[in-house]
Amino acid sequence: MSRWSGCSLVLVLVLVVVSSLLRTASCRFPTLDHIRSRASDKAQGRAVVGLLKRLLGTRSTDFIVSVNRSLSNDSLDVCELRSTRNYKVVATGSSGVAVASGIYNYLKYFCNCHVSWSGDQLDVPRPLPRISGVLRINTRHRFRYYQNVCTFSYSSVWWDWPRWEREIDWMALNGINLPLAFTGQEALWQEVYRALGLNQSEIEEFFSGPVFLAWNRMGNMFRFGGPLPQSWHVNQLYLQFKILERMRSFGMIPVLPAFSGNIPKGILRLHPEANVTRLGPWAHFNCSFSCSYILDPRDPLFLQIGSLYLTQVVKQFGTDHIYNTDTFNEMTPPSSDPSYLSAVSRSVFASMTAVDPQAIWLMQGWLFFSDAVFWKPAQIQALLHGVPLGRMIVLDLFAETEPIFSNTESFYGQPFIWCMLQNFGGNSGFFGTVESINSGPFKALDFPNSTLVGIGMTPEGIEQNPVMFELMSELAWRKEPVNLSKWVSLYAVRRYGSTQEKLPAAWRLLFASIYNCTVPHYRNHNHSPLVRRPSFHMNTDLWYDPADLYKAWKLIIEAAPSLMSKATFRYDLVDVTRQVLQVLTTSFYQDIADAFHNQKLQELLTAGGVLVYDLLPELNRLLSSDRNFLLGTWLERARSLALDEKEAQLYDMNARNQLTLWGPSGEILDYASKEWGGLMEDYYAQRWGLFVNTLVECLESGRPYKQDTFNQAVFQVEKGFIYNCRRYPTKPQGDTYEIAHRIFLKYYPQAWKRL
């Protein structure tokens, strides 16, 4: 497709929404009117200019940028773009985010450009394509939210400032104006605990290691993976200052942390009279690392601690008046009495308003789904109505699969944000619910007495399935669902900068199958046997027809030779080949199981041999050929934050443990699995090798297979990986096309035979 035919489609593809149509729920909440950026129009304009320089280099001067908040008279972002006679583009928007996302819309649909975690495709035409008249882009959503409290542990825990800078640029380009900003909060908690009288050992006994801080903050666990070095606090505090400054410069509203009632045990030494509940174990952890202490929000000490902490937050970080804290996350409250639940939320909110009278509480709605047995209508309404209507915003966290708003009369009048969760644990693997996200936000807008004030993206882990995030963020600027087939065809063109018809055809196949999970209540945990501890009770179900995946694989392989210079294409070539080998691993596993149960040793040796000695090594070589799939990068980023070898070893253990055992003894085993070069070779392949060898020994000796015995043996392999001290490559090795093509020639015929 030429850039000119792309331009002719833009009027259909780009939202041009008349202001009179933009009467949304956000207009009904004057309680939110004070939530506005304090950055000046000029400062926001300068932020966008800086972004364009980082993104486009010298071509950034082709854009003339200005921010004028009076463009919008209803808090809803708008951007207007027009061409000048000398082929420059003038972009004026109601905020820095509006301008950045308006320019990205132009880059996508006029210039066939693309920006993603896995690489950019920025072959910007020269001169810039002309816009006919004025292109006006509006959103119907006051807020576009981003991040999950878990994202900080699964994805951004080891980031430095350049990586954060890149992510905040990505947020602005994708229209995010309400990001979570949780970095560095432990440094402030340490000061609060010291002020309260805790000693250093009591504080160190409380904080978990870096990759487990999300659950430490939510009151699920403590201590494991710690103690946090003082250098960690300094580094994270430095990052948070830069993160907040940059977010605010674009006109974003950072969401800051507040107190939930989770306290160190040492508080009981100081306040033995406090009304504290010790929770039961969480997620198979024992009470050495879980069974947290929760201070009753009705206790006067709650207000004291909560106010002390939020005072520190506002003093150090400033405020935009929105705070997140989550009570009862994956924890059952001690009482279902509605009056108790209302008192809890009222007290939590009071600890915010005591410091910031304009506070808005942003709460994840996950608890209503994860403990649906407890949270019946009376209990939900009681918790929500403990806060004045309009002073709480609820994240409908998993709305693409388990929407809560539709069963709670739109959260009983509290504003809410419709969110796509999409990913658990940062797992590798293709996944999407494109039909659901394409229609869900519009259904929420049209819901009777809807209190929708925005849409959001709340993945536990990022840097996977970039297509889902591009679609979801774009839907915030659409007035109706997109034609998915047309949308993804254009996505393929701009992602690769190529008009080869095989690529849109491949993506249409993927969008109609693997990216369109319609199984009710399906959660995207990667259950593939490839990344799970081997047993005879593994999940082999798929929500899609693998034939569609294989057809797409063939088309992408055929298009590959002329596109290997494109980082975006190389990533997708690795990713689609990885997905095929993941499916084939399940097929070989079934062969292995059948051979063992039928006592056919030769067939067991054949299937097991192919899996352990060819497929998995080939997969490791493939993953090791692309910088986005390297275990070494994750580990090196962790070690780079350390001041000395002791800290480096602590961070290295944290980084390895989360990917594998997730706890000292496999308490949440393989929840955060990743298909990465190095991890495939030294962890997943080692387990499969042990499993096949164990089965062979059982057949040869006539002994029965015992899962408990195998679990004990394989645990030593798993633990051995965490402490193997091996340094893994941080640069890709091998020729991606050569490896992928070799795999294709070997396994494509087999894939079809195994359908």
Side-chain angles (χ1 to χ4, degrees), residues 29 31-32 323 325 327 338 341-353 357-363 380-394 411-415:
F29 290 103
T31 51
L32 300 176
Y323 308 97
T325 191
T327 53
L341 296 169
S342 284
V344 165
S345 55
R346 190 160 50 246
S347 299
V348 171
F349 187 60
S351 75
M352 299 179 190
T353 55
Q358 294 183 296
I360 302 292
W361 178 3
L362 181 91
M363 185 182 79
I380 296 174
Q381 187 166 357
L383 188 74
L384 297 177
H385 282 187
V387 177
L389 286 184
R391 299 294 297 275
M392 171 186 274
I393 300 173
V394 185
F411 289 98
Y412 300 112
Q414 290 288 20

Side-chain angles (χ1 to χ4, degrees), residues 348-513:
V348 171
F349 187 60
S351 75
M352 299 179 190
T353 55
V355 177
D356 181 358
Q358 294 183 296
I360 302 292
W361 178 3
L362 181 91
M363 185 182 79
Q364 292 193 148
W366 179 253
L367 71 171
F368 303 137
F369 161 68
S370 68
D371 195 359
V373 172
F374 177 90
W375 292 103
K376 301 301 184 188
Q379 284 69 36
I380 296 174
Q381 187 166 357
L383 188 74
L384 297 177
H385 282 187
V387 177
L389 286 184
R391 299 294 297 275
M392 171 186 274
I393 300 173
V394 185
L395 299 177
D396 205 344
L397 207 72
F398 194 19
E400 78 270 35
T401 302
E402 303 286 355
I404 305 296
F405 78 90
S406 52
N407 299 320
T408 56
E409 299 170 28
S410 209
F411 289 98
Y412 300 112
Q414 290 288 20
F416 78 97
I417 295 175
W418 194 102
C419 299
M420 173 189 80
L421 201 159
Q422 197 271 334
N423 177 276
F424 291 88
N427 293 157
S428 309
F430 285 174
F431 183 80
T433 51
V434 290
E435 283 184 11
S436 177
I437 70 164
N438 194 32
S439 61
F442 302 98
K443 290 177 181 175
L445 267 174
D446 296 335
F447 190 73
N449 300 312
S450 177
T451 54
L452 183 77
V453 293
I455 65 175
M457 300 183 287
T458 53
E460 286 192 353
I462 57 171
E463 299 178 319
Q464 43 77 29
N465 292 297
V467 67
M468 294 301 299
F469 296 86
E470 180 135 325
L471 174 60
M472 186 66 197
S473 60
E474 195 173 304
L475 287 170
W477 303 86
R478 297 272 184 167
K479 64 179 176 182
E480 61 188 9
V482 301
N483 179 314
L484 290 169
S485 179
K486 288 181 180 177
W487 186 90
V488 82
S489 296
L490 289 169
Y491 172 85
V493 171
R494 65 178 182 264
R495 183 158 168 84
Y496 310 128
S498 169
T499 55
Q500 283 198 52
E501 181 48 40
K502 287 177 179 178
L503 299 168
W507 274 102
R508 286 192 293 270
L509 283 165
L510 295 173
F511 246 43
S513 57

